[in-house]
Amino acid sequence: MSLLSIADLSTHFRLPNGALRALDGVSLDLQAEETLGIVGESGCGKSTLGKTILRLVQPTSGSIRFAGEDVTTVPTRKLAQFRRRAQMVFQDPFASLNPRHTIRKILTDPLVVHGIGDKPERARRVEDIVQRVGLDAGALDRYPHEFSGGQRQRVGIARALILEPDLVICDEPVSALDLSIQAQTLNLLSRMKADLNLSYIFISHDLSVVRYFTDRVLVMYLGRVVESAPTRALWSAPRHPYTRALMDAVPDPARRRHAAPIKGDLPSPQDVPTGCRFHPRCPLATEICTRVEPTLDRLGDGHSAACHHA
Amino acid sequence: MNGPIVQPRVPAVPLLAVEDLRIGFGAHQPVSGVGFDVREGETLAIVGESGSGKSLTALSIMGLLPSSARIAPGSSIRFEGREISALSVKDARALRGGSIGMIFQEPMTCLNPVMTIGDQVAEALRQHQPLTRKAAKARAVELLDLVRIPDPHRRVADYPHQLSGGMRQRVMIAIAVACGPRLLIADEPTTALDVTIQAQVLDLIDRLRRELSMAVLLITHDLGVVAQWADRVVVMYAGRKVEQGEPDPLFARPLHPYTQGLLTASPRLDDNFHYSDGPLNEIPGSISSVAGQVGCAFAPRCAHACTACRETIPVLHHLTDGRQVACPVLITEEHRVAAFHR
Ligand SMILES: Nc1ncnc2c1ncn2[C@@H]1O[C@H](COP(=O)(O)OP(=O)(O)OP(=O)(O)O)[C@@H](O)[C@H]1O
Ligand SMILES: Nc1ncnc2c1ncn2[C@@H]1O[C@H](COP(=O)(O)OP(=O)(O)OP(=O)(O)O)[C@@H](O)[C@H]1O
Ligand code: SF4
Ligand SMILES: [Mg+2]
Ligand SMILES: [Mg+2]
């Protein structure tokens, strides 16, 4: 049984000037102890997917099953149980930490809310986790604004892990960190995964990090999944033209100041192109691409892509 | 790149000169003696450990330090030859957003949540330029288009929470370059962006740099970005500059043990290394072990540390090729001679 199973999930935001299709029919399965990477351009719906899974944003349609239970419409009181087992590390750490609370309170509160441990036990856990994420114990009595961007990100990671959940959705967990702390944090996340049998959904735009850290990857484009494959297979043979463009855009110390290989911009999710959503920017597009939306087809070995010419 | 290589002219007075900058909060001094120049039209990158004082350095140039912070006497920040470390609130405001623009690390903390992005860009314009409301609004749409916000006509009416992380960052860029600054300080400008937009944004910043002959102070932890876009790079550790040089020679032969650790810690895209194969290289220990320590701040984590390292703070050696390094251990004999004859 999958730990998490999502079918045809859509999240549309209603705006005064029309609906914005941030997430538009996404399906995925996540096995226990698996790490699933999500990549795709800014604005393609990665954070919305994460927040919708945790019911921080209400889906428009589709279903979310966690450990065999449908959580799409669970009442608020049961939501607390679900959230103890499924946590999120937010992309913007500052916006997600209460500025009036000390780090100690920020980390102790989830334990109190979920009735975990007595006072000394909570204090022990809090001290243990800050040390594990590489902050010193003196950090506990300070406020979020007294930390650097990277230090705040580690507070966010500590808050997500302190409940020892089954699933952690990490939204750009290491992008604010310098490389040596990135390495420490990724090593920490993988140790925690082994210790707690965790599963991760790992949202990142850093492809080298995704390649190192994930078992499988979903590539999203404008609210949809365009390719899904085991990590190694995706790097050895990317099939969707968008995936290839993404990989080509990685800065390479050997090439100085080259132009971006992918032309144009992500179209507005309020104005989704007909046919294949990628066709206005695609080097392979033909007439059929402008009319017919390709489906996510299996190509064998767990690899699928949504492209008429893949 | 095509065409002949033109040696940039080095003007006598650098655009920005930071000297012996020290910033403290009470007894705690997270920036403790930083100095560097930014020349006209160049891109200077600052890299370094999280918490090493990069953002505080940037904020001090902008006159935007938190009120609890103190710049220590003897610190100097000169912009176009003029001391700006102790400007009045009014003069500082005139400078920032006008001659110096800044892109902040966390866009949400600087955008006003209850104001549309169009109004925020327009307001930035009107603070420094005599524009009508309508003209400012039209210019705001152009600027949003310039930073590649899709559908700018529609998006001007959006509030920050309606934008993705990457779009917020691009709105910040639009505000920062609105008045055509001489210096753009970009604190992790592409941290929230994916690779395709990262390339576009850096390309945009670089284009603006050339077109407006603007200098860029780029704070980043992405060494690929540094290699590709920076003319020179400063490496910081625990509030000090530990190394400086041109990116290619610096990455090819880092001289400071921290820089060396930083380079081996990076998961490289070209090798097929996976978490199931083993952990990434890390520099053992953490920056927090610095507190109360004498000598080199990196010593507790350094494989090369000797007794002298634990007793005195290493001086910055100036080497022949413009390289500077604050570590006595790994400099070769040849370098020492060069440093001596300087
Ligand atoms: N609360 C909201 N109201 C209206 N629109 C929203 C809201 N949240 C997100 N959006 C829009 O939904 C789309 C997807 O946003 P999302 O934050 O999921 O993107 P993302 O893939 O995480 O991008 P990034 O890499 O920049 O973080 C964007 O167009 C964004 O503007
Ligand atoms: N308002 C404040 N009060 C007390 N200490 C502070 C304050 N702001 C920053 N600091 C401390 O100063 C140090 C340097 O912070 P700074 O934000 O400059 O780091 P940084 O190099 O930008 O790191 P990052 O890469 O994580 O963004 C940190 O250790 C931080 O805890
Ligand atoms: S379906 Fe057509 S437009 Fe879409 S990615 Fe494939 S070739 Fe390009
Ligand atoms: Mg996001
Ligand atoms: Mg910073």
Side-chain angles (χ1 to χ4, degrees), chain A residues 194-215:
Chain A
D195 291 354
L196 306 174
N197 305 327
L198 279 178
S199 302
Y200 291 120
I201 290 182
F202 191 86
I203 300 172
S204 175
H205 61 261
D206 187 332
L207 295 183
S208 55
V209 168
V210 170
R211 184 183 190 186
Y212 169 73
F213 197 69
T214 66
D215 301 308

Side-chain angles (χ1 to χ4, degrees), chain B residues 146-147 173 199-209:
Chain B
L146 185 74
V147 296
I173 297 176
Q200 287 178 356
V201 165
L202 290 168
D203 208 45
L204 170 74
I205 292 179
D206 201 54
R207 206 180 73 220
L208 295 169
R209 178 184 67 80

Side-chain angles (χ1 to χ4, degrees), chain B:
Chain B
M1 269 194 303
N2 299 320
I5 296 170
V6 182
Q7 277 298 322
R9 196 171 48 90
V10 182
V13 180
L15 183 67
L16 177 76
V18 175
E19 259 170 64
D20 200 26
L21 178 65
R22 294 161 195 267
I23 303 169
F25 297 91
H28 172 53
Q29 195 173 67
V31 176
S32 40
V34 170
F36 56 84
D37 286 350
V38 182
R39 301 170 190 152
E40 244 166 75
E42 82 165 339
T43 298
L44 178 80
I46 302 185
V47 301
E49 187 90 348
S50 173
S52 61
K54 304 180 297 292
S55 296
L56 287 176
T57 300
L59 291 172
S60 68
I61 298 166
M62 287 296 281
L64 284 178
L65 285 173
S67 54
S68 52
R70 289 284 167 276
I71 297 187
S75 308
S76 155
I77 304 172
R78 285 193 307 276
F79 181 71
E80 295 179 321
R82 167 175 168 231
E83 184 63 44
I84 58 166
S85 57
L87 287 185
S88 70
V89 176
K90 186 166 151 275
D91 289 347
R93 192 178 301 138
L95 196 64
R96 75 173 169 261
S99 303
I100 309 181
M102 179 158 175
I103 305 166
F104 296 87
Q105 187 167 3
E106 282 161 286
M108 247 343 219
T109 56
C110 319
L111 292 173
N112 183 339
V114 296
M115 206 171 155
T116 68
I117 58 166
D119 286 345
Q120 294 189 51
V121 179
E123 191 183 88
L125 282 163
R126 275 161 57 88
Q127 255 172 30
H128 298 275
Q129 289 170 9
L131 287 175
T132 64
R133 223 167 256 286
K134 203 163 153 230
K137 201 88 180 221
R139 180 81 186 111
V141 174
E142 277 171 36
L143 281 162
L144 292 176
D145 190 42
L146 185 74
V147 296
R148 304 193 191 280
I149 296 287
D151 232 353
H153 288 281
R154 200 147 27 172
R155 289 287 186 168
V156 281
D158 278 3
Y159 291 89
H161 76 272
Q162 297 176 315
L163 302 181
S164 77
M167 286 185 230
R168 279 176 212 155
Q169 193 62 301
R170 280 177 281 163
V171 170
M172 282 294 318
I173 297 176
I175 292 173
V177 301
C179 299
R182 307 278 300 124
L183 173 67
L184 177 69
I185 302 177
D187 191 359
E188 307 275 7
T190 58
T191 298
L193 307 181
D194 63 89
V195 284
T196 61
I197 295 182
Q198 174 177 314
Q200 287 178 356
V201 165
L202 290 168
D203 208 45
L204 170 74
I205 292 179
D206 201 54
R207 206 180 73 220
L208 295 169
R209 178 184 67 80
R210 278 179 276 118
E211 286 172 5
L212 311 174
S213 58
M214 165 183 95
V216 178
L217 180 61
L218 177 69
I219 299 174
T220 178
H221 57 260
D222 188 329
L223 300 182
V225 167
V226 173
Q228 215 173 311
W229 303 92
D231 298 303
R232 293 186 303 139
V233 53
V234 166
V235 183
M236 281 183 64
Y237 188 82
R240 286 173 200 276
K241 177 164 84 175
V242 294
E243 189 159 3
Q244 175 177 316
E246 286 173 17
D248 291 350
L250 191 133
F251 292 153
R253 211 163 58 90
L255 290 175
H256 196 281
Y258 171 69
T259 318
Q260 293 177 348
L262 198 59
L263 288 169
T264 52
S266 88
R268 293 299 308 263
L269 196 66
D270 40 282
D271 51 49
N272 201 359
F273 192 62
H274 193 247
Y275 79 93
S276 54
D277 300 331
L280 295 167
N281 283 327
E282 10 176 306
I283 306 174
S286 76
I287 201 170
S288 56
S289 42
V290 173
Q293 191 210 313
V294 290
C296 173
F298 191 61
R301 305 173 71 184
C302 182
H304 305 277
C306 58
T307 326
C309 302
R310 298 199 183 83
E311 287 168 355
T312 43
I313 292 171
V315 298
L316 200 63
H317 292 265
H318 295 253
L319 311 183
T320 35
D321 51 355
R323 183 86 68 98
Q324 302 177 2
V325 58
C327 172
V329 179
L330 297 181
I331 301 180
T332 61
E333 208 44 44
E334 152 205 4
H335 276 132
R336 267 181 218 285
V337 174
F340 182 77
H341 287 293
R342 206 178 65 91

Side-chain angles (χ1 to χ4, degrees), chain A residues 11-15 20-23 38-51 57 91 171-172 203-205 220 222-223 266-270, chain B residues 150 155 158-168 170 192-194 197:
Chain A
T11 303
H12 297 177
F13 293 107
R14 218 162 289 146
L15 300 182
L20 184 149
R21 290 148 72 181
L23 201 65
I38 313 264
V39 301
E41 227 155 327
S42 172
C44 71
K46 304 179 295 294
S47 299
T48 304
L49 174 62
K51 289 182 197 161
V57 165
Q91 183 169 7
D171 195 356
E172 305 283 4
I203 300 172
S204 175
H205 61 261
M220 287 184 62
L222 211 54
L266 193 66
S268 162
Q270 286 186 274
Chain B
R155 289 287 186 168
D158 278 3
Y159 291 89
H161 76 272
Q162 297 176 315
L163 302 181
S164 77
M167 286 185 230
R168 279 176 212 155
R170 280 177 281 163
L193 307 181
D194 63 89
I197 295 182

Side-chain angles (χ1 to χ4, degrees), chain A residues 252-264:
Chain A
D252 177 351
R255 293 175 300 185
R256 272 183 75 84
R257 296 186 178 163
H258 70 113
I262 183 166
K263 291 282 169 267

